[in-house]
Every structure is written in C-alpha cells, then in structure tokens.
C-alpha cells in the first residue's frame, strides 16, 4: 500500500508522510490523542497548552 492510500484510508493511527525535502511528518488521529475526552493539556517546554474539541467538532489550541 502506498503512502497516499494509507493516509486516505486511515489504516494506521500513526503514518509517515514525506514532504519535498524528505522530512517525515507523523499523523496522529485526534481520537487517539484525545482518548474520548473533550480536552487535554500539552506541556511544551514548561508552558501548558490546552487542546479542546468544540461543539462543532473543531479543535482549538490555547496557551
């Protein structure tokens, strides 16, 4: 299965894509990241960010 097909079908929760410069990009499904929660906190170098799922099923990241 090629990369494009894998990304379209979502057959894996983590998939590697490459850009023009061959830099690998990891794709994580939001469902896997949120784990059935509507909100999570991300610690980035000591600063806390909040990722929230809205009522319209969109993601908001705030510091």
């Amino acid at each position: 299965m090629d990369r494009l097909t894998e990304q379209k079908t979502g057959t894996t929760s983590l998939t590697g894509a490459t850009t023009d410069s061959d830099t690998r990009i990891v794709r994580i499904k939001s469902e896997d990241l949120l784990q059935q929660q509507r909100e999570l906190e991300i610690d980035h170098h000591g600063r806390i960010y909040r990722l929230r799922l809205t009522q319209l099923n969109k993601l908001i990241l705030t510091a």
Side-chain angles (χ1 to χ4, degrees), residues 4 8-11 13-14 16-17 21 23 27-28 34-35 37 39-40 44 47 49 52-54 58:
L4 185 57
K8 284 184 178 179
T9 60
T11 55
S13 59
L14 291 175
S21 63
T23 303
R27 179 175 293 176
I28 301 173
L34 291 166
Q35 299 178 6
Q37 301 295 312
E39 187 172 311
L40 66 85
H44 180 66
R47 185 158 187 184
Y49 291 82
R52 287 182 276 173
L53 184 63
T54 69
K58 298 190 184 240

Side-chain angles (χ1 to χ4, degrees), residues 26-43:
V26 176
R27 179 175 293 176
I28 301 173
K29 291 185 179 185
S30 60
E31 294 89 1
D32 294 338
L33 190 61
L34 291 166
Q35 299 178 6
Q36 299 183 355
Q37 301 295 312
R38 298 199 60 85
E39 187 172 311
L40 66 85
E41 290 184 345
I42 301 168
D43 183 335

Side-chain angles (χ1 to χ4, degrees), residues 49-62:
Y49 291 82
R50 184 168 287 155
L51 182 66
R52 287 182 276 173
L53 184 63
T54 69
Q55 290 180 341
L56 296 176
N57 208 31
K58 298 190 184 240
L59 294 173
I60 296 178
L61 181 65
T62 56

Side-chain angles (χ1 to χ4, degrees), residues 1-13 15 27 29:
M1 178 182 316
D2 68 328
R3 208 175 357 151
L4 185 57
T5 303
E6 184 175 312
Q7 288 177 357
K8 284 184 178 179
T9 60
T11 55
T12 60
S13 59
T15 133
R27 179 175 293 176
K29 291 185 179 185

